[in-house]
Amino acid sequence: MELKLIPAGDTFEARVRGPNVMPGYLGGPDLTSAAFDEEGFYRVGDTISFVDPANPSRGLRFTGRVSENFKLANGTWVAVGNIRAAALAATPGVQDVVIAGENRQFCAVLTWLNPVMARQHAANADGNLNCDPGVIAFLQQCLRTYNTSVGSSERICAFTLLDEPPSLAAGEITDKAYINQRAVLTNRAAQMELIYSSEPCGQVIVI
C-alpha cells in the first residue's frame, strides 16, 4: 500500500495506490479518470496532517475533506478541518461550527451552542441562550484569544448563532455523523450573507 501526500495549504491531500484499491468504475471511464491521478493514485478526498511534523513516525490525523477547503479573496487557502477543530477546542460553549469565507475577506463561523456548557456563562439561564449577553461575551473572548495564536487566514472575525440544529434530511449531517459544511452553507445562505453584509444585524457578533 502506498500513500502520496499532496500539499494543500497547511495540510496534505491524501492519495493511495495498492492492490486493495479498486481499479476503476465499471462502465464509467470518465469517473475513473477523475478519481485517479496521472500516477494511478486514488483521490480519497481527505486531507491529513502529521501529528508531529518533526517526528513523522507518530502518524497522521484526519483534518477534513478536500471539497470543504476554500480560498479567501486574497487567494490564501483555508484548511477548514484544522480551523474547525481549533475553534471547537477554543470555545467550550459551542456544540459545532461551520466555517465560512470562500472568496471573502475573512473567515467567519456559523455555530450551534452546547446548552449545558453555554448556560454556565449566561446572564439569564432561563432565557434564550443565543441572545444572552453573558454567553455572547464569553464566546467573543474565547475567539479573540484563539485569534492571537493563529495566522491571518485562520482568524475568525465574526460569528452567528444558529437556532435550528443541523438536519439529516437536508444533508447537513453525513452518514458518519459529521457536519456537511457545504450543505449547511448552502441551506443557510441567508444567515451567512448577514455576516458579510455591509450593515450586519444584531444576529452577527463581530470579534
Side-chain angles (χ1 to χ4, degrees):
M1 181 71 179
E2 296 175 272
L3 171 67
K4 181 163 71 170
L5 303 180
I6 306 298
D10 293 332
T11 62
F12 297 92
E13 177 193 346
R15 299 180 185 179
V16 295
R17 182 171 66 182
N20 56 325
V21 179
M22 69 166 187
Y25 290 91
L26 181 63
D30 292 342
L31 291 174
T32 299
S33 178
F36 293 85
D37 68 15
E38 66 283 352
E39 295 182 306
F41 282 84
Y42 178 59
R43 306 173 191 267
V44 298
D46 292 338
T47 60
I48 56 180
S49 64
F50 289 100
V51 172
D52 181 357
N55 184 9
S57 65
R58 292 192 60 193
L60 299 157
R61 63 184 169 197
F62 172 78
T63 57
R65 296 285 294 167
V66 173
S67 61
E68 293 177 346
N69 295 341
F70 58 79
K71 285 184 179 181
L72 293 173
N74 64 9
T76 303
W77 274 104
V78 173
V80 168
N82 281 352
I83 296 182
R84 176 179 174 272
L88 284 172
T91 51
V94 162
Q95 187 74 39
D96 215 327
V97 300
V98 170
I99 311 299
E102 185 168 14
N103 296 321
R104 308 282 187 166
Q105 297 297 326
F106 60 85
C107 289
V109 294
L110 289 74
T111 183
W112 294 275
L113 289 176
N114 178 323
V116 175
M117 297 293 290
R119 193 166 283 112
Q120 298 176 18
H121 305 280
N124 178 11
D126 297 324
N128 184 345
L129 293 175
N130 279 15
C131 302
D132 189 277
V135 172
I136 290 172
F138 172 70
L139 294 180
Q140 278 181 310
Q141 186 54 53
C142 287
L143 289 172
R144 284 171 184 156
T145 300
Y146 159 81
N147 282 342
T148 63
S149 62
V150 299
S152 59
S153 67
E154 299 172 292
R155 290 195 184 106
I156 296 170
C157 297
F159 69 94
T160 187
L161 297 169
L162 300 174
D163 291 314
E164 293 295 323
S167 168
L168 180 63
E172 294 180 342
I173 303 177
T174 70
D175 54 0
K176 296 180 180 178
Y178 185 77
I179 295 294
N180 184 331
Q181 301 269 323
R182 291 286 181 184
V184 172
L185 292 174
T186 298
N187 297 341
R188 302 172 193 253
Q191 287 106 315
M192 184 185 69
E193 289 302 325
L194 288 175
I195 295 177
Y196 295 101
S197 170
S198 58
E199 299 180 1
C201 67
Q203 294 173 271
V204 178
I205 298 92
V206 177
I207 308 301

